[in-house]
Amino acid sequence: MKQKRLPLPALATLMLCFSTEFGSVATAETLRVAQTEWPPFIMDSPLGGGVAHDIIVDALIDAGYQVQFDQKPWSRILKETIHGKNDVIVAMWKTEERERHFLYTDAYMNNQMAVVSRSRSDFEYTAIESLKGKKVALIHRYAYTPKLLDYPDMIPVNSIDLPNSLRLVLTERADLLVSDEIVARWTIQQMKLDINQFKFSETYIDSTPLYAGVRRDHPQAQSIVSMLNEYFRTQGEAQLELLKEKYGVSTQTPSQ
């Protein structure tokens, strides 16, 4: 019995449907995604990659991309991404300088920036002028709020990362540090330090929006940003709540 041949238009339509359904898997682009360790937002743990890591990587995979993720030192990430070795940075604060090199998504979270001192000190942050004459541990190339970086009457103390900043405060080489409160509390716990050695000021320096960044010269930069923004708009809030619960920060982490 002869098989009936499909007319050419019908065959073309069938092939188009097949390629549309399966082509994205076969030709999915791999995005090189990077971030420095920043628990509980970015980390390598039995629970997973952290709150910020999971929401961005899940969104990219949901859109059909393959993801190659690497943790690297922050200054290296910025330099490498500007030179095309990475495509997406999971979590960034916005600065005018960075906007020359990156397209930013909408903010998907806020970081409450706390001032941390030794508990035995009598310091309490109330306004930027509170920092006059104080030695403040600042992590190299972090995008702190301009009102902090531009305040001329404090004494900046260079730090390589948050654990180093905590040690600088404990050893009195710095009086204070500035960090997202959740990150600082998490890091103190992971370092097995006594939380009672530290004092968190009741007033925050600011609430800093958190973004993902895509290098401007990536051929799909605008499409990636638009896709992430749509994901934040339609699924972001619910997904954040699930991730906060998963990582045990559901009653603390602020979201936008």
Side-chain angles (χ1 to χ4, degrees), residues 55-56 59-60 63 94 103-108 210-214 221-237 256:
I55 193 168
I56 299 301
L60 293 173
K94 188 179 290 189
L103 287 180
Y104 283 87
T105 65
D106 295 336
Y108 62 92
L210 191 65
Y211 311 84
V214 182
Q222 188 59 63
S223 297
I224 295 168
V225 167
S226 297
M227 177 277 299
L228 286 171
N229 287 342
E230 179 66 13
Y231 185 88
F232 298 155
R233 187 183 69 79
T234 59
Q235 303 181 53
E237 186 173 350
Q256 190 173 46

Side-chain angles (χ1 to χ4, degrees), residues 34-50:
Q35 187 65 42
T36 193
E37 186 178 17
W38 194 35
F41 301 126
I42 308 291
M43 61 185 189
D44 183 8
S45 79
L47 287 174

Side-chain angles (χ1 to χ4, degrees), residues 208-253:
T208 304
L210 191 65
Y211 311 84
V214 182
R215 61 181 175 89
R216 280 187 175 272
D217 58 355
H218 190 284
Q220 297 183 37
Q222 188 59 63
S223 297
I224 295 168
V225 167
S226 297
M227 177 277 299
L228 286 171
N229 287 342
E230 179 66 13
Y231 185 88
F232 298 155
R233 187 183 69 79
T234 59
Q235 303 181 53
E237 186 173 350
Q239 186 66 8
L240 269 177
E241 289 306 313
L242 290 173
L243 290 171
K244 292 173 193 176
E245 184 175 349
K246 172 183 176 180
Y247 289 99
V249 294
S250 58
T251 61
Q252 298 175 319
T253 305

Side-chain angles (χ1 to χ4, degrees), residues 29-33 56-57 60-61 65-69:
E29 180 178 351
T30 297
L31 292 177
R32 296 163 298 177
V33 180
I56 299 301
V57 170
L60 293 173
I61 292 173
Y65 291 99
Q66 295 184 30
V67 173
Q68 176 187 317
F69 179 78

Side-chain angles (χ1 to χ4, degrees), residues 131-155:
L131 304 182
K132 183 174 182 178
K134 299 295 184 181
K135 295 178 290 184
V136 182
L138 299 176
I139 300 170
H140 181 58
R141 297 197 70 181
Y142 264 44
Y144 297 99
T145 177
K147 73 177 181 181
L148 173 65
L149 295 177
D150 296 341
Y151 182 61
D153 295 331
M154 69 177 182
I155 305 167

